[in-house]
Amino acid sequence: MNESQEERQLPKIIVQICALIAVLAAFAVWMQMRAAALMISSLENTVASQATDVALMTEKQIQEELSVLSLAAGCLEPSPGDEAQDRLLRELRGMEAGVSVGVISIDGESILGDVLPYRTFKNLPVAMHGQAVVDYQAGYGLIFAVPLMRGSNVSGLLCRLYSERMIPWHFRMTALNSSMRLLLHDRNGQMIMPYRAYSEEDTDFFRSPEVQEALGLLRSQLETHRSAASYLMLNEKQYFLFASDLPHANCTVTGYVPWGAVAGPMTAVFSRSIRVAALLLMIFLSVGAYLVVTREKAARSEALEKEKELADQASQAKSEFLASMSHEIRTPINTILGLNEMILRKSKDAAVGRYARSVRTAGSSLLSIINDILDFSKIESGKFRIVETEYRLSELIQTVSSMMRPRAEAKGLEFHVKVNAEVPNCLYGDTRRIQQVLINLLTNAIKYTERGTVDFAVSHAPRPDEDKTMLRFIIRDTGIGIREEDQSRLFKGFERFDMQRNQHVEGTGLGLAITHNLVEMMNGSISFNSVYGEGTTFAVALPQKITAPAPIGEYSEADDAGSSEEYQVSFLAPDADVLAADDNEMNRFVLAELLKDTQIKLDIVSNGEEALQRLLVKHYDAVLLDQRMGGMNGVETLRAASRLPNSFGTPFIVLTADADLGARERFLREGFSDYLSKPLDFNMLERALMRCLPPEKVRPAPRPQPEASAPVISAPSAPATATADEAPVFDRKAALQYSAGNKKLFKKLAGTFAGLYEKKSAQLGELFASEDWNAYTDAVHSLKSTSLSVGGLRVSAAAKASEMAGKRFLSAESPEAKEKALNELRGNHESVLRLYGEFVAALRQETSLD
Amino acid sequence: MNQNIRTIRRRILRWLAPMLLAAAGLVLLALIFRPAPDEPEPEKPTVGFIVLGDVRSPGWNASNYEGLLAACNKLGAKLVVRDHVAERSDECLKAVRNLAGQGCKLIILASYSYPEEIRPFANEFPNVSFINMASKSYNPNMATYFPRMYQGRYLSGALAGIRSTSGIIGYVAAMPNAEVLRGINAFLLGARRINPKARVVVAWTNSWEDPERERHLAERLIHEAGADLITYHQDDMAAAEAAEALGVDSIAFNAPVPKGAKHILASVSCRWDIFYQDLLRDYLKDELRVMRTSWIGVDRNAVLLTSLSSEITPEMRAKLDTIRLELVNHMLIFRGPLYDNQNVLRCKADEAISDDTLLMDIDWLISGVTSLE
């Protein structure tokens, strides 16, 4: 996460925290409300059960009152109207005023004791059915009545009436705590019995609409409940109202208790538990927030890792794509180069030959670029391996030098090879890769050097342990050098510097990166020293094992001979039968054309199945199988073919573009006798066939020109770039080149040329004598081109000089210029005739030898 | 490998952490708002009802059941019914055990013999309150509730007194138990209030439900005893139907009167829904513990004459209503002097028969009642 992101995250976090706090607060409020409601309802239950208890106690008082009366009633009946009855009634009445006791007949008349208002009390008649009754009537008081029984029949009621004034003094309802205020109400809400110390304030309290409303609520609850309680807030004070009906009586115990008296200790518990809950919630949310943040971070780093993985995969995919593309490109180039080779061989036309060579050069450089890319991507993907073998350093140096010298010289550069004689010759290492390194460095040196020298020095630093040495290669040029700022990036891939100046220099920019990687893979080191504009020195040090202590000795340039450009078939095998299978038509054509000169009897098929059919009916001396074919591939074809009797002992050669590390070993393990990688190297193909074919069917190809015939006329080692004066009288190479290597054609041309000599030379002489300069110029022009086509380089050059002089004479305006050209023409005439004669003589000798 | 483990661990952390967090949160909330153990959810009271016949059969069974169901629905109680429970077998006890097992705290024994069968086992169910209908049995967890049907009988007797011209009223009755006898006695008292010479002839079926016999006896009462008005105390209304068929007036009992049966003057009915509401309220208020017997009558409008026929004139209605209001104001029906039909004084002039006696100890027919020979 970078700074700006972090800054952006900050307000987000603040918003989140605020949201969290808001949620927390809302939750806390909700929780408190819920808890308060819960608490109120639980307190209501408590108060209601207290009310039940109070009611029970009151009920008990009533029952006691009634049982006393019942007892008295039992005593009354046997002897009505005597002294004992009066005494009993007096006892019941007691000493206090406001209590009346009397007996009422079944008709409702007072027949004994105090006169009681029977009809006033609505429930009293119920007692006539034989039940004890408690009834209240406002203005009269509370009456207790029990039936007077005569046998099973009711004969009257014994009643005790407490006047309203007396009620509180007689019934001391026991409050459960000192704050509890109790009253007896009748069921219509009329107050019967206030608690003592009932004041105006209490009257106001009970008359307030809120309390009345609450009482109504309690009444409706009492319909189905023993007792009920209700929370009430009045004038900022909190109360619990409660009520419980008394059975048997039309009375209700009602009361109220302040909040504090019930909830006092519970409030503390409540607030404490709220605090604890809030704390827990806070901890919970903090931990939650922390975990969320952690998770976010983890997710982010995971996402980064995933992205990196994806990027790596993409890069890998690109490398692989590049590798496969390069690989795919090699196949058509192979075809192009193969067919171009055919053109080079077959074309008699000098111009076409030149074009074809250009195609070859361009194709080769394209191939090398492709190879660079392939190498680089292989190095990138780790598929590149070092394969070590025993080799001779001298051969390596010669190969490299012979490849680089012509290029250096073609650019007009001096190329020096300097080898320390003490360097051990027999070494063990990856000669192919060392060669690649050296060629890369030397190619660069030549490429970036316009004039001056390219030096290639080989030395070594002996090591204490005898079997190892540190080879040192120094490549020094006097080229453009490398800018200081570019030096650090030198060994990175796809980098080319100084683009403006080097825009004409071709290449992928991968060479040095590959070189650097190769050297490192061989445990070596590479360094360079460059001064911009003055030149660059690359130093490569490679540790190599010594297999034999022999030193390389004096390096001889003589061995470093340029190879002949001309293609020559190295063997003939007219009796050999060879089968080739390849599904690519161009490849088949190239293969057929390449092997045509060997006179091998070649059968070509387009797939593995056809190859098997041929093998079924015929024995072949060798089979060439393309690995990648439609249907059966090379390996499958080989496996199937190895079971056929005809193919017993037949060598199979695989042709494959699969040039991976270990591919050769893999194919040999599969049972192939040899392995040829595409694009096909014609020499490799021939060599492989020579090895594979039965020796009795192979004979060396006839040499087109025996070396011995040459010295008579020419110096064979003369460089091709020599000037006309130094040119040989007869240049066989040039002659063959212009005949496209066709000796018959050359002979034919040479015979014609020689046959015309007498006539032509006489004509030249006549024209010179008659001073017909116009015709003379035409004649030397003709001589110039015809002699060149049969290898008469010197005579051609001389003729050309005369032609030029003749043209100058003809076109000259001033007499001085004409005179000068004429003198030149005259001076040159003799040498033209002489060289003409010499050349024809050499030519005759040449042609007569064949 | 390491990276895999790390990725897996991270993934686990990614899912596990919020899950643990959520779980912790839930546990926390559950802890905070767990209902306290001493605060049980108020459970719905469950009422058991045991009855002899099918609760769908009209008459006693269906009217009780429907009334109880209405009361339960009104007061938010759950009703569990066991019908087809035979008397004088162990079936009632089985039904009680089953209902108690289902959590019934109030079981209504809605047939005369049940309480006797249950009483010896009642202490096995200390948490159950039994309701005993019109039986002598008693146990501390048994309370007797009964409608003052005799008030209805008194009213219907008055109606009979008004309508009957012969003054002879036929009474088809099941068996002479306290309930039936006090009904007959109240009926006669009602009839004599209008017509002091009125008589009642009772014909016994010895069965609560025997329509054939009831019909037959009703016809005999009309033809042999000369009754010009028939009433009955049975679970079905065959007697009234028989009278209707003969074009003779009748008063039904606890039954819906078919339309067009204009000779069926009225039905002595109980509003069982009101009755059971009062009962359930008492139970819910925990007052059953102090109630030994509880009567619910005209004063609660639980007992009344219904389906008054078009034959009854407004004057008759007014007369009946006056008597009804007297009853509401606690007029005593059974007040002395009362002689039974053997001329024994059962209640002196300044006495009234108590409820307890009415409930259990009426074994006599009042003077003026004779049995069909």
Side-chain angles (χ1 to χ4, degrees), chain A residues 107 129 150 153-154 226 245, chain B residues 285-286 335 351-352 355:
Chain A
D107 298 313
H129 287 286
R150 196 181 295 149
N153 294 339
V154 181
R226 175 113 183 245
D245 276 346
Chain B
K285 293 182 72 168
D286 198 22
R335 59 165 297 178
E351 292 175 359
D355 280 352

Side-chain angles (χ1 to χ4, degrees), chain A residues 247-264:
Chain A
H248 287 313
N250 60 343
C251 302
T252 307
V253 174
T254 315
Y256 73 86
V257 60
W259 166 279
V262 190

Side-chain angles (χ1 to χ4, degrees), chain B residues 208-253:
Chain B
W208 288 111
E209 197 169 347
D210 187 350
E212 206 46 51
R213 186 165 166 75
E214 289 161 33
R215 198 168 288 120
H216 174 69
L217 289 176
E219 285 163 3
R220 276 188 63 199
L221 284 169
I222 293 162
H223 298 309
E224 296 175 20
D228 63 351
L229 196 147
I230 295 292
T231 189
Y232 62 90
H233 195 146
Q234 296 288 152
D235 277 0
D236 60 277
M237 57 185 304
E241 284 162 358
E244 175 74 22
L246 295 171
V248 174
D249 282 350
S250 67
I251 296 170
F253 175 66

